[in-house]
Amino acid sequence: MFSVTVRDHMLIAHSLRGEVFGPAQRLHGATYVVDATFRRATLDADGIVVDIGRATEVLRAVVGELSYRNLDDEADFAGTNTTTEVLAKVVADRLADALGEAARGLDGLVVTLRESHVAWASYERPL
Amino acid sequence: MFSVTVRDHMLIAHSLRGEVFGPAQRLHGATYVVDATFRRATLDADGIVVDIGRATEVLRAVVGELSYRNLDDEADFAGTNTTTEVLAKVVADRLADALGEAARGLDGLVVTLRESHVAWASYERPL
Amino acid sequence: MFSVTVRDHMLIAHSLRGEVFGPAQRLHGATYVVDATFRRATLDADGIVVDIGRATEVLRAVVGELSYRNLDDEADFAGTNTTTEVLAKVVADRLADALGEAARGLDGLVVTLRESHVAWASYERPL
Amino acid sequence: MFSVTVRDHMLIAHSLRGEVFGPAQRLHGATYVVDATFRRATLDADGIVVDIGRATEVLRAVVGELSYRNLDDEADFAGTNTTTEVLAKVVADRLADALGEAARGLDGLVVTLRESHVAWASYERPL
Amino acid sequence: MFSVTVRDHMLIAHSLRGEVFGPAQRLHGATYVVDATFRRATLDADGIVVDIGRATEVLRAVVGELSYRNLDDEADFAGTNTTTEVLAKVVADRLADALGEAARGLDGLVVTLRESHVAWASYERPL
Amino acid sequence: MFSVTVRDHMLIAHSLRGEVFGPAQRLHGATYVVDATFRRATLDADGIVVDIGRATEVLRAVVGELSYRNLDDEADFAGTNTTTEVLAKVVADRLADALGEAARGLDGLVVTLRESHVAWASYERPL
């Protein structure tokens, strides 16, 4: 199995609902350093997993739609707790949709959101 | 599949038994930067893999019991070669025991011990 | 010259005022990984720059007062553009105040705020 | 499942063939920071996955044969597009061959080539 | 003193002249992860060291002119040993020239080129 | 001003004397990731700060003399508190001595010992 990973980042504000979140129930924010990993059993005719230029553009577009925003005010997240885990899935699902033709032949996708030097979350899905 | 990782560290002394270890047969020590990854197929009602505050506390307690010690003198490790691999399993098994209710719904656990910028070891187990 | 650095982090929301900030004029947020470096020409009687336990506690207290907050709503920052540079100075000045006796013998302090894997800012001051 | 990883690096020149590579069709180069991960279900009698000294030597030998070379001029790569993905497989396969007796008991091998702070590729195979 | 750093990278081929370089006398290549640090005694009216958007664009332009090239074939480097140290100075000097108005008020510039996880070089100059 | 840095590491056991050290008064250990930075105002005839091969060998020799040892038992450290700060100076001074001819033209040396992902110490001296 092969994989290729590209990294970008986004800066968002949000608050979390639920006693388990303690002070993170207040409006605060985070930088998420986002790693998108594309998996593929065999390489294509060019010897690659994915056109890394295209994957980078798509990742930039997906994080660009989320960055510099207060997620509490976004209609897409009404009623959703925007935890790091949930956002990892959002980025992965939007990437899968946006890849279009570039996803051909890919077997899966992993998105990791690093929120600090001591905590991160991932979501893995098939393609 | 979702996962969440938290990081802590411990500083220990020990020696290793066996010719394969060369100079590491002498009493020496290491910093282990410890990454504990919790895996779960679906998120809980709060939209998380695990209460990260509770996971962090439990990890701190587990590495706290090992840190600032000479493992050669610890009764728990009598007759055990405390290699990085073995210690990764010790931390993972102790974490699994200590999580108690916080482990409900979790599918697995990976513990990685980074001993330098050029070497690390992991142990992965179900929960 | 000797120095010792300890690392912590904080998660905040804020917005920036000025056309130069582009989309960062909207309410968003950031994780700042905070490195506090203490400088000293000669070591003390214990062979250290600073009591690292005390320095770590003081840093934790300083970042704890800022973390999980919307800086736009904090009276301390009324009329202040809370850029990364400005926040580095705020953390450094608060650290200097909070160190009290622990600052005895120190020559200077550098605070670095890393806001992503590709951008960070520092402020350096004497003590 | 246990694993152990060791890190080394290599510096090579090459060019890539295919429109998808854009400016990377020109002769250029890269540093690959190479992580070799050895996987094993149970530890050996010494409590390890692999003799890490031997693994490190073998990895050094494998990357040493590639480093400080223009891969476009190497007979081994005639007709091969030396993408990061392809080179990850080359390193993994050569490691598997070179381990010899040291591979006994190992279940698999993952090789990751990091080409920058924002892009890397992996290849995973059984042993 | 304040500073702001932005990071980018470039991939180049080259060879070095002189026995001291050993195997690096052969044509090979490197990824340079490039950190550009801008220093300033006092912040401007917006509370910043430099317009980070403009600094990022200028850095991208400077590394873009060098990346995906064989420096041995570039007229700009005829007769020049393109060591990491020399290239750090080239990037710094070109940045200083390209900043134009954005350099107003800046006191200095440091450029660091990281060529692997175990080696890097810097050049520092006034502005 | 130019600089070049090379990285290596060492694994040691030790204990610290003084109430300020808390649990670190017990025998424990650490991995120190060691960065040695060589500074020079102008480059030599080859376009370098220092022969990086020679610097790497000298650093390896210096850390090799300390690694895989219990510093409490070493005659060189009798009566010395082997704090991270003190060890940074020991490494720097031994490097300066060992460089010999390779130090010609160098202006200074900085040694940084990273003891975990959240703490490190440096010592800077002229040459």
Side-chain angles (χ1 to χ4, degrees):
Chain A
M1 178 64 72
F2 292 90
S3 74
V4 162
T5 303
V6 292
R7 174 171 284 186
D8 208 321
H9 72 288
M10 58 189 189
L11 298 103
I12 60 93
H14 68 159
S15 61
L16 299 172
R17 291 189 316 275
E19 283 188 20
V20 72
F21 298 107
Q25 294 175 85
R26 300 197 299 252
L27 181 62
H28 65 286
T31 306
Y32 294 113
V33 175
V34 182
D35 293 337
T37 298
F38 305 92
R39 308 186 71 194
R40 186 177 176 134
T42 55
L43 299 180
D44 74 5
D46 289 311
I48 56 176
V49 164
V50 65
D51 175 353
I52 203 171
R54 178 75 185 130
T56 299
E57 283 170 13
V58 169
L59 178 60
R60 178 141 300 180
V62 168
V63 302
E65 284 167 11
L66 295 167
S67 203
Y68 295 117
R69 292 178 195 281
N70 177 1
L71 302 186
D72 293 357
D73 291 344
E74 296 292 306
D76 287 357
F77 298 116
T80 301
N81 234 1
T82 55
T83 62
T84 313
E85 294 93 319
V86 165
L87 290 174
K89 183 172 189 308
V90 167
V91 171
D93 290 346
R94 291 185 177 187
L95 266 177
D97 287 347
L99 279 170
E101 273 306 288
R104 193 199 297 268
L106 293 178
D107 292 298
L109 180 59
V110 187
V111 168
T112 301
L113 266 58
R114 298 176 190 274
E115 72 177 58
S116 76
H117 63 305
V118 292
W120 53 95
S122 289
Y123 174 68
E124 180 174 359
R125 54 162 277 175
L127 278 178
Chain B
M1 178 65 71
F2 292 91
S3 74
V4 162
T5 303
V6 291
R7 173 171 284 187
D8 208 323
H9 72 288
M10 58 189 190
L11 299 104
I12 59 92
H14 68 159
S15 61
L16 299 172
R17 290 190 316 275
E19 282 188 20
V20 72
F21 298 107
Q25 295 175 84
R26 301 197 298 252
L27 181 62
H28 65 286
T31 305
Y32 294 113
V33 175
V34 182
D35 293 337
T37 298
F38 305 92
R39 310 186 69 193
R40 185 176 177 135
T42 56
L43 299 180
D44 74 5
D46 288 312
I48 56 176
V49 164
V50 65
D51 175 354
I52 202 171
R54 178 74 185 130
T56 299
E57 283 170 13
V58 169
L59 178 60
R60 177 142 300 181
V62 168
V63 302
E65 283 167 12
L66 295 167
S67 204
Y68 296 117
R69 292 178 195 281
N70 177 1
L71 302 186
D72 294 356
D73 291 345
E74 296 292 306
D76 286 359
F77 298 115
T80 302
N81 233 3
T82 55
T83 61
T84 312
E85 294 92 320
V86 164
L87 290 173
K89 184 174 188 304
V90 166
V91 171
D93 291 345
R94 290 185 177 187
L95 266 176
D97 288 347
L99 279 170
E101 273 306 288
R104 194 199 296 268
L106 293 178
D107 292 299
L109 180 59
V110 187
V111 168
T112 301
L113 266 58
R114 298 178 189 273
E115 71 177 59
S116 77
H117 63 305
V118 292
W120 53 94
S122 289
Y123 174 68
E124 180 175 0
R125 55 161 278 174
L127 277 177
Chain C
M1 179 64 71
F2 293 90
S3 73
V4 162
T5 303
V6 291
R7 173 171 284 188
D8 208 324
H9 71 289
M10 59 189 188
L11 298 103
I12 60 92
H14 68 159
S15 60
L16 299 172
R17 290 190 317 275
E19 282 188 21
V20 71
F21 298 107
Q25 294 175 86
R26 300 198 297 252
L27 181 61
H28 64 286
T31 306
Y32 294 113
V33 175
V34 182
D35 294 337
T37 298
F38 305 93
R39 308 186 70 194
R40 187 177 177 135
T42 55
L43 299 180
D44 74 5
D46 289 312
I48 55 177
V49 165
V50 66
D51 175 353
I52 202 172
R54 179 75 184 127
T56 299
E57 283 169 13
V58 169
L59 178 59
R60 177 142 302 182
V62 169
V63 301
E65 283 167 12
L66 296 167
S67 203
Y68 296 117
R69 291 178 197 281
N70 177 1
L71 302 185
D72 292 357
D73 290 344
E74 297 291 307
D76 287 359
F77 298 115
T80 302
N81 233 1
T82 55
T83 62
T84 312
E85 294 92 320
V86 165
L87 290 173
K89 184 172 188 306
V90 167
V91 171
D93 290 345
R94 291 186 178 187
L95 267 176
D97 288 347
L99 279 170
E101 273 306 288
R104 193 198 296 269
L106 293 178
D107 292 297
L109 180 59
V110 187
V111 169
T112 301
L113 266 57
R114 299 178 189 273
E115 71 178 58
S116 76
H117 63 304
V118 292
W120 52 96
S122 289
Y123 174 68
E124 179 174 0
R125 55 161 278 175
L127 277 178
Chain D
M1 178 65 71
F2 292 90
S3 73
V4 162
T5 303
V6 291
R7 174 171 284 186
D8 207 323
H9 72 289
M10 58 189 189
L11 299 102
I12 60 92
H14 67 160
S15 60
L16 298 172
R17 290 190 315 276
E19 282 188 21
V20 71
F21 297 107
Q25 295 175 85
R26 299 198 298 253
L27 181 62
H28 64 286
T31 306
Y32 294 113
V33 175
V34 182
D35 293 338
T37 298
F38 305 92
R39 309 187 70 193
R40 187 178 177 133
T42 55
L43 299 180
D44 74 5
D46 289 312
I48 56 177
V49 164
V50 66
D51 175 353
I52 203 171
R54 178 76 185 127
T56 299
E57 283 171 11
V58 169
L59 178 59
R60 178 142 301 180
V62 169
V63 301
E65 283 168 12
L66 295 168
S67 204
Y68 296 116
R69 291 178 196 281
N70 178 0
L71 302 186
D72 293 357
D73 291 343
E74 297 292 307
D76 286 359
F77 298 115
T80 302
N81 233 2
T82 56
T83 62
T84 313
E85 294 93 319
V86 164
L87 290 174
K89 184 173 189 304
V90 166
V91 171
D93 290 346
R94 290 186 178 187
L95 267 176
D97 288 347
L99 279 170
E101 273 306 289
R104 193 198 297 269
L106 293 178
D107 292 299
L109 179 60
V110 187
V111 169
T112 301
L113 265 57
R114 298 177 190 274
E115 72 178 56
S116 76
H117 63 305
V118 292
W120 53 95
S122 289
Y123 175 68
E124 181 175 358
R125 54 162 278 174
L127 279 178
Chain E
M1 179 63 71
F2 292 89
S3 73
V4 162
T5 303
V6 292
R7 174 171 284 186
D8 208 323
H9 72 288
M10 58 189 189
L11 299 103
I12 60 93
H14 68 160
S15 60
L16 299 171
R17 290 189 317 276
E19 282 187 20
V20 71
F21 297 107
Q25 294 174 87
R26 300 197 298 252
L27 181 62
H28 64 286
T31 305
Y32 294 113
V33 175
V34 182
D35 293 338
T37 298
F38 305 92
R39 309 186 69 193
R40 187 178 175 132
T42 55
L43 299 180
D44 74 6
D46 289 312
I48 56 176
V49 165
V50 65
D51 175 352
I52 202 172
R54 178 76 184 128
T56 299
E57 283 170 12
V58 169
L59 177 60
R60 176 141 304 180
V62 169
V63 302
E65 283 168 12
L66 295 168
S67 204
Y68 296 116
R69 291 180 196 281
N70 177 1
L71 302 187
D72 293 356
D73 290 344
E74 297 291 307
D76 286 359
F77 297 117
T80 302
N81 233 0
T82 56
T83 62
T84 312
E85 294 92 321
V86 165
L87 290 174
K89 184 173 189 304
V90 167
V91 171
D93 290 346
R94 291 186 178 188
L95 267 176
D97 287 347
L99 279 169
E101 273 306 288
R104 193 199 297 269
L106 294 177
D107 293 299
L109 180 59
V110 188
V111 169
T112 301
L113 266 57
R114 298 177 190 273
E115 71 177 58
S116 75
H117 63 304
V118 292
W120 54 95
S122 289
Y123 175 69
E124 180 174 359
R125 55 162 276 173
L127 277 178
Chain F
M1 178 64 71
F2 293 91
S3 72
V4 162
T5 304
V6 292
R7 175 171 283 186
D8 208 323
H9 72 289
M10 59 188 187
L11 298 105
I12 59 93
H14 68 159
S15 61
L16 299 171
R17 290 189 316 276
E19 282 187 20
V20 73
F21 297 107
Q25 295 175 86
R26 299 197 299 252
L27 181 62
H28 64 286
T31 305
Y32 293 113
V33 175
V34 182
D35 293 338
T37 297
F38 304 92
R39 307 186 70 193
R40 186 177 177 133
T42 54
L43 299 180
D44 74 6
D46 289 312
I48 56 177
V49 165
V50 65
D51 175 353
I52 203 171
R54 178 76 185 128
T56 299
E57 283 170 12
V58 169
L59 178 60
R60 176 141 302 180
V62 169
V63 302
E65 283 168 12
L66 295 167
S67 202
Y68 296 116
R69 292 178 196 280
N70 177 2
L71 302 186
D72 293 357
D73 290 344
E74 297 291 305
D76 286 357
F77 298 115
T80 301
N81 233 2
T82 55
T83 62
T84 312
E85 294 93 320
V86 165
L87 290 174
K89 184 174 189 305
V90 167
V91 171
D93 291 345
R94 290 186 177 187
L95 267 177
D97 288 346
L99 279 171
E101 273 306 288
R104 192 199 297 267
L106 294 177
D107 293 298
L109 180 59
V110 187
V111 169
T112 301
L113 266 58
R114 298 177 189 274
E115 71 177 59
S116 76
H117 62 305
V118 292
W120 53 96
S122 288
Y123 174 68
E124 180 175 1
R125 54 161 279 175
L127 277 178

